[in-house]
Amino acid sequence: MIHVITGTDTDVGKTVATAALAARELAAGRRVAVYKPTQTGVQPGEAGDAQNIAAWLGHPTGLLVAEGIRLREPMAPVDAALVEGGSAAVAKLPVLADHLARITQLAADYDTVLVEGAGGLLVELTAAGENIADLARALGAALVVVSRPDLGTLNHTALTLEAAVNRGFASGTLLLGSYPAQPTVLHRSNLENLQQLAARHGWHWAGAMPSGLVAGDTGKSLLTAGMALTQLRAAAVR
């Protein structure tokens, strides 16, 4: 099974959600691969999102993490490559077929593959302008959208789900990446409205992950959060 995890924006909790989903799969006895097509904003030798997931989970047996390419600037992939090395660096970005081949091989070797995108659904990954939606569609993968609970999330989430449906994702999974322990009236209202948004678009609501999962006993916290989510919706691409 291949799941592609994206978000309504950057910093919405995609990496933590991916880690929680990985923890749940590992606990079920499945071998898991986490693939980050493009990691931006990290220096050579620094831990990126994939490496952080492995560390949070205690580097378990049965987990493999991998990147397609990494770039230093904390920007969208094409822009990060342009700043780093000009048009020549952009030309060296992996093409969509490169990502497809890597993920297909991982899917042959592992029970579950979790692909974590960069930024939101339509952020370009390749020099040709292909994005995480194009990658998920080419894979025939299930799409998971991670949202946030704060002001503005309803518009961002509605736009993301509308874009996904218009690109052929008749259904998918929506979840909240970081819900505060002491929610305000805004947070509670948004939580209810996000569930209704998912239903109106024919998508599955998986639940809300609590904030602060990567502080303290991260492995246990992530597993608990992952187990609390309902099962993800299988791929349904028109």
Side-chain angles (χ1 to χ4, degrees):
M1 177 69 72
I2 303 173
H3 293 283
V4 174
I5 296 95
T6 187
T8 56
D9 202 344
T10 191
D11 292 330
V12 296
K14 292 189 304 295
T15 303
V16 174
T18 302
L21 294 172
R24 182 170 75 177
E25 292 294 291
L26 290 164
R30 301 184 184 97
R31 300 178 73 243
V32 178
V34 174
Y35 180 66
K36 183 85 173 179
T38 308
Q39 173 67 66
T40 63
V42 293
Q43 301 297 318
E46 288 183 347
D49 292 338
Q51 292 77 30
N52 284 335
I53 289 171
W56 293 337
L57 298 182
H59 300 281
T61 301
L63 174 68
L64 175 111
V65 298
E67 297 171 350
I69 190 172
R70 64 166 46 196
L71 300 161
R72 294 183 180 89
E73 295 298 324
M75 302 170 68
V78 174
D79 289 336
L82 191 62
V83 170
E84 188 164 320
S87 57
V90 175
K92 291 180 180 178
L93 287 172
V95 299
L96 192 66
D98 295 330
H99 295 305
L100 291 173
R102 187 75 181 277
I103 295 166
T104 300
Q105 184 58 58
L106 290 172
D109 296 336
Y110 289 82
D111 302 307
T112 302
V113 180
L114 302 175
V115 181
E116 185 195 343
L121 181 68
L122 302 185
V123 172
E124 295 179 357
L125 298 175
T126 71
E130 291 134 333
N131 52 47
I132 200 71
D134 296 319
L135 179 59
R137 186 171 177 81
L139 288 166
L143 195 61
V144 179
V145 171
V146 181
S147 188
R148 57 188 177 85
D150 307 306
L151 188 65
T153 191
L154 299 181
N155 183 55
H156 291 162
T157 305
L159 288 170
T160 300
L161 294 184
E162 183 174 318
V165 170
N166 287 340
R167 282 163 173 74
F169 296 94
S171 68
T173 299
L174 177 67
L175 62 88
L176 255 178
S178 181
Y179 194 69
Q182 297 181 324
T184 66
V185 65
L186 171 67
H187 295 137
R188 292 192 294 271
S189 176
N190 282 344
L191 178 63
E192 181 178 347
N193 286 327
L194 287 169
Q195 295 176 63
Q196 294 173 4
L197 267 178
R200 285 203 297 271
H201 286 83
W203 276 46
H204 171 64
W205 171 258
M209 294 179 46
S211 60
L213 290 176
V214 294
D217 188 350
T218 57
K220 181 178 180 180
S221 297
L222 288 166
L223 176 58
T224 300
M227 296 298 289
L229 296 173
T230 59
Q231 289 298 314
L232 304 184
R233 182 70 58 86
V237 183
R238 290 195 299 264

